[in-house]
Each structure stands twice: as C-alpha cells, then as structure tokens.
Amino acid sequence: MREAKRPCVYLLASRRHGTLYIGVTSNLLARLHQHREGLIPGFTKTYAVHHLVWFEPHETMESAILREKALKKWRRDWKLALIERHNPEWLDLAAGLGFEPASNRMIA
C-alpha cells in the first residue's frame, strides 16, 4: 500500500474496454475515494468511471505528470494493451488497496 502514497499515474475504466480516464495524483487512496464517492464533479462522475485498472508509482510528481501527459497522447488501443498486459482480467485494483471492489470482475 506504500505505492498508493507516492505520486502515481492511474487509469480508471467504466467497464472492460469501456470509457477510460487517465489521472495523476500525489495520493492515490485519497483520489480514489474522491472518484468513487462522486466528490469530483466532471468526467469520472458523469460517466461512472470508477474501476482502477492500472497504476504506476513514480519517485517524483514531475515524472508522474510527464508520464500522464505521454499516456494521454497514446492511441486507445495502446492504452487497452497496457491495461491487459498488467491486468488481463480487468479487475478493480482498488480492492488490493483496501477499498471495496466496485465489482469482483469487470463487466464484459
């Protein structure tokens, strides 16, 4: 859980191959709570993008921001491949960080 308190880039999904959101944060646990509780108005709340499907800890916020900007320029199929390489079942990784899973498995 130590990684969750470091700067992180993360990908949320509404479902398997669904709507994706890329974000960066200095505290993944707090940010996930905000997304899941709908405390942040905007894209993730509107489109119910709450499943953590990938995250990458960084040593500095600057490197995390650079990675986020690079990922946002990627083609969608590259993002899907990144998720599937690290999380082929599209499980909600937030469960491993102490959250109730949004679901045990992503909706096909």
Side-chain angles (χ1 to χ4, degrees):
M1 208 178 312
R2 197 170 44 131
E3 294 86 8
K5 294 188 181 182
R6 291 173 42 194
C8 285
V9 180
Y10 62 96
L11 270 160
L12 301 178
S14 60
R15 60 183 174 84
R16 181 186 287 261
H17 298 274
T19 304
L20 298 177
Y21 173 82
I22 298 172
V24 65
T25 184
S26 61
N27 186 332
L28 185 58
L29 296 175
R31 189 71 167 148
L32 285 173
H33 173 75
Q34 292 170 338
H35 283 302
R36 288 176 173 236
E37 297 300 317
L39 302 176
I40 304 167
F43 186 84
T44 59
K45 184 175 180 179
T46 301
Y47 295 99
V49 184
H50 303 294
H51 295 83
L52 178 66
V53 292
W54 176 86
F55 70 98
E56 181 179 84
H58 285 260
E59 289 299 318
T60 66
M61 183 54 91
E62 292 79 14
S63 68
I65 291 169
L66 288 173
R67 177 69 162 157
E68 177 204 26
K69 287 180 179 183
L71 288 172
K72 285 186 173 187
K73 293 178 183 176
W74 281 21
R75 294 172 26 158
R76 179 178 169 78
D77 59 327
W78 297 353
K79 295 171 193 172
L80 295 176
L82 175 68
I83 294 165
E84 292 191 356
R85 184 169 46 252
H86 297 279
N87 185 5
E89 298 294 320
W90 287 68
L91 298 175
D92 184 8
L93 302 176
L97 299 173
F99 285 85
E100 283 290 319
S103 66
N104 287 339
R105 291 190 177 267
M106 293 295 295
I107 300 168

